[in-house]
């Protein structure tokens, strides 16, 4: 895949001068052109060579596209080896156009509320496959519009595929790539301390300080271990310590995601405990009412319970955002489209 190569990689593999590579990149990133034949400032022979070497800019195949009433668009993409992932374009009334992307096929974390890991982990995505999702979603927008945000909140655990992810994000945020602001890119993680430290180290060496969101989902290790198996390996304290280190490195606050699940983590006592855990951490809590997954027997708390939980956090001095649910109609929760597709194929 051509997207697997960064600029210097392309110069090497095509044995071409930088200006030629820049021409190709301009077509792909600025003009949304993914067919080599349409890159008319390149000679016919050179275009033929690109087609022969790479086929097309996009290596995957769009298997399904679903659009919901709130104009959320979800794509299911099949890669050359037949594996599939999904990615989502979310729009809101503030003009944000956000790409939500996957980093792995399947997921090894097996969080009990998430559809992504139901069939286990298959493989990491390549840099090109991650970048392709971003480009495809950008191409869903009208010609004069571009993505404004990226959230790495699709299938997979991003910190377990960090090199490919950072390489793809680098392109999305480089001036001659998609030129997105670094501050508008968020990586969400289950909380792998070694990965967070590695991210911090990369920033220290001049790398880009993307925003970090930690999937906390519980105020104590007992509850967290019961819904996130990974917590038995790295507990809340270790994760918060690593997150603190990263926060100091980028000088921006960390988001803690908290998926509210009925009768598991939704009591006001849990809100108190969570507030205690985060006091003094300049954090923001992103409360996400559970998006129910058909096969998993978990429920979303009532509106009243959600409101009480949020109010209690706020009265404890914690800043809270509620993540509005989007694209419910189209199975836009993590891994749901891929899961449903596989299910239909079996039926
Ligand atoms: N592996 C990364 C990215 C996962 S998806 C991580 O763990 O953060 C992004 C967020 O959606 C995570 O906070 C995840 O825990 C949450 N999530 C997954 N399934 C969900 C569901 N059914 N309802 C609500 N949130 C969910």
């Amino acid at each position: 895949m051509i997207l697997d190569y960064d600029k210097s990689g392309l110069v090497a593999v095509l044995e071409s001068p930088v200006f030629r590579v820049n021409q190709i990149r301009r077509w792909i990133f600025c003009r949304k052109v993914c067919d080599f034949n349409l890159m008319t400032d390149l000679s016919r022979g050179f275009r033929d060579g690109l087609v022969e070497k790479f086929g097309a800019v996009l290596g995957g195949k769009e298997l399904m596209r679903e659009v919901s009433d709130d104009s959320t668009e979800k794509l299911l993409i099949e890669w050359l080896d037949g594996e599939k992932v999904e990615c989502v374009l979310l729009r809101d009334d503030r003009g944000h156009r956000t790409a939500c992307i996957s980093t792995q096929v399947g997921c090894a974390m097996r969080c009990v509320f998430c559809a992504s890991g139901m069939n286990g982990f298959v493989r990491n995505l390549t840099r090109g496959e991650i970048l392709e999702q971003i480009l495809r979603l950008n191409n869903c927008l009208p010609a004069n519009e571009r993505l404004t945000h990226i959230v790495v909140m699709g299938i997979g655990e991003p910190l377990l595929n960090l090199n490919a992810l950072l390489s793809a994000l680098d392109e999305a945020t480089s001036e001659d790539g998609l030129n997105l602001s670094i501050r508008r890119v968020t990586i969400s993680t289950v909380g792998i301390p070694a990965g967070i430290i590695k991210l911090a180290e990369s920033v220290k060496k001049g790398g880009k300080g993307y925003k970090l969101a930690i999937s906390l989902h519980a105020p104590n290790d007992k509850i967290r271990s019961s819904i996130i198996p990974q917590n038995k390996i790295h507990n809340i304290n270790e994760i918060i310590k690593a997150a603190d280190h990263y926060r100091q490195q980028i000088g921006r606050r960390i988001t803690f995601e908290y998926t509210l699940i009925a009768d598991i983590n939704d009591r006001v006592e849990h809100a108190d405990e969570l507030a205690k855990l985060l006091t003094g951490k300049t954090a923001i809590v992103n409360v996400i009412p559970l998006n129910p997954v058909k096969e998993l027997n978990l429920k979303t708390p009532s509106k009243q319970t959600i409101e009480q939980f949020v109010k209690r956090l706020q009265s404890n001095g914690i800043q809270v955002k509620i993540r509005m649910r989007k694209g419910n109609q189209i199975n836009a929760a993590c891994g749901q489209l891929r899961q449903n597709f596989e299910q239909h194929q079996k039926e």
Side-chain angles (χ1 to χ4, degrees), residues 103 107 109 111 113-116 152-158 187-191 213-217 228 257-260 288-293 296 323 333-334 336:
T103 51
C107 184
M109 298 299 103
C111 302
F113 46 84
C114 181
S116 301
V152 187
M153 294 187 183
I155 299 173
E157 171 44 47
I187 301 175
S188 173
T189 175
V190 73
I214 309 260
S215 294
L216 196 61
H217 305 327
I228 302 178
E257 293 157 290
Y258 196 103
T259 293
L260 270 180
I288 316 164
L290 178 81
N291 211 334
V293 177
L296 305 171
R323 189 180 300 168
C334 299
Q336 284 188 15

Side-chain angles (χ1 to χ4, degrees), residues 135-202:
L135 287 180
R136 280 183 180 274
L137 295 171
N138 194 46
N139 293 353
C140 288
L141 294 165
N144 59 341
E145 282 183 19
R146 348 189 97 249
L147 293 172
T148 59
H149 292 72
I150 296 176
V151 294
V152 187
M153 294 187 183
I155 299 173
E157 171 44 47
L159 298 193
L160 295 180
N161 189 15
L162 196 53
N163 292 344
L165 173 64
L166 290 184
S167 178
L169 291 181
D170 240 21
E171 206 71 276
T173 54
S174 74
E175 253 176 56
D176 62 349
L178 282 180
N179 203 14
L180 254 91
S181 154
I182 296 166
R183 290 161 170 256
R184 292 176 161 199
V185 175
T186 304
I187 301 175
S188 173
T189 175
V190 73
I192 314 272
I196 299 172
I197 301 291
K198 204 169 152 193
L199 258 188
E201 290 307 309
S202 121

Side-chain angles (χ1 to χ4, degrees), residues 37-251:
N37 290 308
L38 301 178
M39 300 183 177
T40 45
D41 58 0
L42 304 173
S43 73
R44 183 80 251 173
F46 191 70
R47 281 184 262 165
D48 289 346
L50 289 172
V51 173
E52 200 175 310
K53 200 167 190 69
F54 300 115
V57 172
L58 304 175
K61 190 166 108 195
E62 183 180 307
L63 276 190
M64 277 168 81
R65 178 187 298 220
E66 297 191 351
V67 185
S68 78
D69 291 346
D70 60 12
S71 81
T72 300
E73 287 187 51
K74 180 155 186 158
L75 311 183
L76 183 69
I77 301 169
E78 181 176 56
W79 304 115
L80 293 169
D81 64 356
E83 295 299 345
K84 302 164 196 70
V85 298
E86 51 204 87
C87 54
V88 186
L89 173 66
L90 304 124
R91 294 174 229 233
D92 69 12
D93 44 21
R94 291 173 297 175
H96 290 187
R97 298 177 288 271
T98 304
C100 175
I101 55 167
S102 298
T103 51
Q104 299 181 317
V105 179
C107 184
M109 298 299 103
R110 290 188 181 272
C111 302
V112 299
F113 46 84
C114 181
S116 301
M118 283 169 68
N119 295 326
F121 169 74
V122 182
R123 69 168 173 87
N124 276 335
L125 294 181
T126 63
R127 162 202 146 97
E129 289 167 337
I130 297 172
L131 195 52
E132 175 161 336
Q133 296 171 67
I134 299 172
L135 287 180
R136 280 183 180 274
L137 295 171
N138 194 46
N139 293 353
C140 288
L141 294 165
N144 59 341
E145 282 183 19
R146 348 189 97 249
L147 293 172
T148 59
H149 292 72
I150 296 176
V151 294
V152 187
M153 294 187 183
I155 299 173
E157 171 44 47
L159 298 193
L160 295 180
N161 189 15
L162 196 53
N163 292 344
L165 173 64
L166 290 184
S167 178
L169 291 181
D170 240 21
E171 206 71 276
T173 54
S174 74
E175 253 176 56
D176 62 349
L178 282 180
N179 203 14
L180 254 91
S181 154
I182 296 166
R183 290 161 170 256
R184 292 176 161 199
V185 175
T186 304
I187 301 175
S188 173
T189 175
V190 73
I192 314 272
I196 299 172
I197 301 291
K198 204 169 152 193
L199 258 188
E201 290 307 309
S202 121
V203 175
K204 206 171 172 180
K205 287 186 207 136
K208 297 175 176 173
Y210 302 115
K211 279 166 68 177
L212 188 66
I214 309 260
S215 294
L216 196 61
H217 305 327
N220 60 52
D221 284 318
K222 187 159 179 261
I223 298 178
R224 195 165 192 269
S225 294
S226 74
I227 52 177
I228 302 178
Q230 179 70 15
N231 196 66
K232 292 174 197 147
I233 303 168
H234 298 295
N235 66 23
I236 294 180
N237 254 337
E238 285 176 71
I239 295 169
I240 291 190
K241 219 172 122 195
D244 235 18
H245 179 60
Y246 187 70
R247 178 179 60 81
Q248 284 165 12
Q249 210 51 253
I250 60 166

